[in-house]
Amino acid sequence: MATDTPLRPADSAALDENRSQSRPAPPASGWTPRLRRLIGIDEPLLAWVPEERARYTWYGALVVNTALLGALSMVLALSSFRSDLPLAAVVGVAVVWFWVVLALDSWLVSSTHGTTVRKWTLLVRFFLSVLLGLFIAEPILFQIFDKEIRQSIAVGNEQKVADYRGMLVSCNPTDGASTTDRRECARHQLKVAGSPAELARQIKSNGDRAKTLSTQVAGINKTLSARQSTEQRLCGPKYWIWRGGVRDVTITCERAREATSEYERNSKVKTYEKQLEGLVAQGQKLAARKDGAADDYQPLLQKAVDDKTRQRAADLDTDGILTRAAGLKEVAESDGFALFLTIVLHLLLLCLDAMPVLAKVLSGVTTYDTLLGARHRASRTLFAEELQVQHTCARMEHDVQRHRVEWDTTDRMRRLEQEHQRAQAERAAQERAELEARMGRIMRARGV
């Protein structure tokens, strides 16, 4: 009976098998590891906590979604502001921008793993995410409010054109009167030939010149008349003389005639008289033109105003980024609900763009972060110990080298001493042999 009684319930075996799941877990396959690799997840380390694989998989999906949203925003921006670009260029720029956003968000997320992440670093990363979100959100908002923005821009441009035309009409009266004394008319004055005021100024200028020239001609003629009177008086019969049996004028008369002719030539009175006749004729023509100038000037002025107005309307921007931003601002300011909707969409898009960092802030410290922090601490400890080992080994190696050098030095010194002693002994033997030879010669010389 005892052998037939189970030690524990039958269903507890499966429970124990689930509890005793192997660690680390088998490597994952498919596209999920690639998503986690984008945010810097270490798969062998995550295998120790396979329960968090799903969390980090969706974490990587958030990063990819943000990059896709950025690429879509860039396509919308280029399509709105540079409609002349070919499709290949738009796609190429969108792909590059996708990669830039993906790399930035991947760095922002991967740098938050671990338990040593400080709050201020998360704030800095969140600030960078908000800046990136603002750049991504604006083109999307432009597309959402495209109809309202275009209507606001059209109304604003019409008002600008109407105001510009009003200034042209105000600063260019139909009678052609000058408006140079008005500061606001400095950039709105038109140059239209044939205005009544311009003709009046020309008539006045022509009359002044004719009057001045007439006075000059009258003065010359007066002087010339006086000289001619003097000439007639000096050349009269009263002053004739007999010369060769014939009555003739005196040399004084000839000098008077020569002086009168020279003055008439030098004074250019004939030229001045012709110029005066031309000025008089021009004055008559200007006076005749002035009578019909009012009827001819108004159509020319109207045409010039119309041309300037059309040019102004053509120069106004309708698709520029600053113009559309100003249009979005006017749409938001014109209606309370539009302002509320704009703020809500801004916040929504900013949250979507900053979601990778927000997800890290909201999720807090995970088991993977704890393991990664432990690995970092272990790595620092191992590295410090490795440095100590390397330092100890290097110091021992230096001791061995120093000991080797000391023994080598001692051995070399011993050899040097032996060589020195041997050399001294050899020199002593040579000196002794030389002394003995010298003594032998001395002794032989003395006959000993």
Side-chain angles (χ1 to χ4, degrees):
M1 294 293 293
T3 56
D4 297 334
T5 304
L7 297 177
R8 53 185 175 179
D11 56 349
S12 63
L15 182 61
D16 289 344
E17 290 178 0
N18 292 332
R19 289 180 179 177
S20 61
Q21 184 178 4
S22 60
R23 292 292 190 276
S29 60
W31 55 270
T32 55
R34 295 185 178 90
L35 285 178
R36 294 193 292 268
R37 194 176 299 118
L38 288 176
I39 56 175
I41 295 298
D42 186 1
E43 287 295 321
L45 182 61
L46 187 62
W48 289 93
V49 280
E51 298 83 7
E52 296 186 357
R53 282 177 173 175
R55 171 186 295 183
Y56 286 104
T57 300
W58 290 113
Y59 208 170
L62 284 177
V63 174
V64 175
N65 290 339
T66 304
L68 290 174
L69 190 63
L72 176 62
S73 174
M74 182 59 68
V75 170
L76 294 177
L78 293 178
S79 300
S80 301
F81 309 138
R82 294 295 304 274
S83 58
D84 56 331
L85 290 178
L87 180 60
V90 174
V91 173
V93 174
V95 170
V96 172
W97 184 240
F98 169 82
W99 169 250
V100 170
V101 176
L102 182 64
L104 181 58
D105 282 341
S106 297
W107 171 78
L108 287 174
V109 173
S110 62
S111 61
T112 61
H113 298 319
T115 57
T116 58
V117 179
R118 300 176 182 177
K119 293 182 179 180
W120 68 269
T121 58
L122 289 177
L123 291 177
V124 173
R125 293 180 179 93
F126 180 73
F127 177 71
L128 293 176
S129 299
V130 169
L131 289 182
L132 183 63
L134 287 175
F135 187 81
I136 294 175
E138 290 305 314
I140 298 177
L141 286 174
F142 290 157
Q143 289 300 122
I144 294 175
F145 294 99
D146 182 69
K147 184 178 180 180
E148 291 78 6
I149 291 174
R150 290 186 181 277
Q151 184 177 0
S152 177
I153 293 174
V155 172
N157 289 345
E158 290 179 0
Q159 185 63 40
K160 291 178 182 179
V161 172
D163 294 341
Y164 184 74
R165 184 180 182 86
M167 290 298 298
L168 290 178
V169 173
S170 175
C171 296
N172 298 276
T174 56
D175 59 353
S178 176
T179 57
T180 54
D181 55 338
R182 295 170 57 183
R183 183 179 301 178
E184 67 274 10
C185 294
R187 296 183 300 175
H188 297 87
Q189 293 177 350
L190 300 177
K191 294 182 180 180
V192 181
S195 66
E198 180 65 24
L199 290 176
R201 287 192 294 270
Q202 293 180 8
I203 291 173
K204 185 178 181 301
S205 176
N206 186 79
D208 293 340
R209 291 173 57 193
K211 184 177 179 181
T212 301
L213 191 58
S214 177
T215 302
Q216 185 179 0
V217 170
I220 294 174
N221 287 332
K222 183 178 180 181
T223 304
L224 185 61
S225 298
R227 289 179 178 270
Q228 289 176 352
S229 298
T230 302
E231 177 188 351
Q232 291 176 2
R233 181 172 57 79
L234 293 176
C235 295
K238 181 179 179 180
Y239 294 96
W240 287 354
I241 61 175
W242 290 94
R243 183 178 298 172
V246 181
R247 287 182 176 275
D248 196 1
V249 296
T250 63
I251 190 171
T252 304
C253 174
E254 293 177 354
R255 289 177 178 175
R257 286 177 178 176
E258 184 178 354
T260 302
S261 300
E262 184 178 0
Y263 178 76
E264 186 176 4
R265 287 194 305 271
N266 293 335
S267 63
K268 300 180 181 179
V269 64
K270 299 297 182 183
T271 304
Y272 292 152
E273 288 177 348
K274 291 181 180 180
Q275 291 179 359
L276 181 59
E277 292 176 358
L279 291 176
V280 172
Q282 185 177 1
Q284 293 175 355
K285 291 181 180 179
L286 291 174
R289 288 176 56 190
K290 184 181 177 182
D291 295 337
D295 298 333
D296 298 336
Y297 177 71
Q298 290 184 2
L300 296 176
L301 178 62
Q302 186 66 30
K303 183 178 182 302
V305 170
D306 294 340
D307 293 341
K308 281 289 185 179
T309 303
R310 283 193 296 269
Q311 183 179 357
R312 175 64 174 173
D315 293 340
L316 290 176
D317 185 28
T318 57
D319 290 326
I321 183 171
L322 296 180
T323 303
R324 294 178 70 83
L328 180 60
K329 178 183 177 182
E330 293 179 0
V331 170
E333 293 177 351
S334 62
D335 185 76
F337 182 75
L339 177 60
F340 171 76
L341 190 59
T342 303
I343 295 175
V344 170
L345 288 175
H346 262 106
L347 294 177
L348 177 61
L349 292 174
L350 286 178
C351 289
L352 289 177
D353 298 330
M355 186 55 69
V357 177
L358 286 176
K360 182 61 180 180
V361 175
L362 296 175
S363 62
V365 179
T366 63
T367 306
Y368 174 80
D369 291 329
T370 304
L371 295 179
L372 185 61
R375 172 180 285 184
H376 289 167
R377 290 190 296 272
S379 298
R380 286 194 296 269
T381 303
L382 289 176
F383 182 72
E385 293 178 355
E386 179 67 22
L387 287 179
Q388 291 180 358
V389 170
Q390 292 179 4
H391 177 69
T392 303
C393 293
R395 185 175 57 192
M396 296 175 64
E397 183 68 24
H398 290 164
D399 292 340
V400 171
Q401 292 180 1
R402 185 174 64 252
H403 191 66
R404 181 183 296 113
V405 171
E406 291 177 353
W407 277 100
D408 184 64
T409 302
T410 303
D411 186 57
R412 290 171 62 186
M413 292 176 64
R414 188 181 298 110
R415 286 197 302 270
L416 286 174
E417 290 178 357
Q418 293 176 358
E419 291 177 359
H420 178 68
Q421 292 175 0
R422 185 169 54 254
Q424 287 182 343
E426 290 177 354
R427 284 196 300 270
Q430 290 178 0
E431 291 176 356
R432 194 165 39 256
E434 185 178 353
L435 287 174
E436 291 178 354
R438 187 177 299 176
M439 288 296 297
R441 287 194 301 270
I442 294 173
M443 295 296 292
R444 284 194 298 274
R446 290 180 180 181
V448 179

